[in-house]
Amino acid sequence: MNAWKQDKEVRNAAAEAPPHPWHRLVAMGDSFTEGIGDPEPRSEGGLRGWADRVAEELSANQREFAYANLAVRGLLVQQILDQQLEPALTLKPDLVTLSAGGNDIVFRRSDPDRLAEKIDAGVDQLTRSGATVVLFAGPDWGATPVFSQIRGKVAIFNENLHTVASRHDAVMVDLWFLRELSSPGMWDPDRLHFSPLGHHTIAAAVLKALGVPHTLVPLEPKPPRARGWKEARSEDLIWAREYLVPWVIRQLRHPAEAALAPKRPEPGPVFGIGSPPGPFIGGSHAA
């Protein structure tokens, strides 16, 4: 089967697929989920990332779909839970992605067993809310100088996460066994974060784990979706009212804090790349 025909069949299958069950996605985590390594000036925070790409696909066949991204680069497991768990629950998502522990393992050489215990407690709260939870087993850094020394800890942490997922009936996206990620083109030059191609590949893996048909073709990152002039101006007005003015005020009052704010703290509809978030369709912002 040639690539053109395969691409056409993938897109047709996704277009004809029945709606999935989720209406509100909240992404929790650190730089991996924020989208570092996948720059896009037209996206919130100047980053796209796998989470945005997943939200774009999930919104395609689901009316009133909303997406919030609470991830902030550099955070440790306990910081993610302390700063993002309650806000996430307040947004009342029915789908939550949680990726945490990379900074603890890589930079703090933390105990993978204790980290998993903390994540287990957080996942317990999320699943008791009724949300479907998605977890991530970390990638294999075995071929990377220096980081290869922590390969054993990453493997132990991953096995612990599989146990957590099993205990709470969470969805597991196993990046360790996603061998495509071993290609240098999947990684940012810093060797810590993924490239646009890497984020694209991970987004497809998330959608596969969720059992959602999609239009992401392997090794072919999907370009930004074009918007009409009327749609763009309408979104600009929403963005200015809901986000630009409050952001300017925060900059004037607390300039140091603004750099660490989540790029998408409120759930909003997904219009495609470059579209600032607006209020949740069908109602006001979640309380």
Side-chain angles (χ1 to χ4, degrees), residues 77-78 110-120 157 160:
V77 166
Q78 194 59 57
S110 301
D111 183 340
D113 296 327
R114 297 190 65 180
L115 291 177
E117 290 175 1
K118 294 179 180 180
I119 292 177
D120 181 75
F157 184 53
N160 288 340

Side-chain angles (χ1 to χ4, degrees), residues 8 29 65 67 78 82 110 125 128 154 176 182 199 228 233 247 250 284 287:
K8 182 178 180 181
F65 182 83
Y67 158 59
Q78 194 59 57
D82 289 344
S110 301
Q125 291 190 58
R128 282 194 285 109
V154 174
W176 184 280
S182 63
H199 281 280
R233 298 294 75 74
W247 180 83
R250 287 197 301 270
S284 59

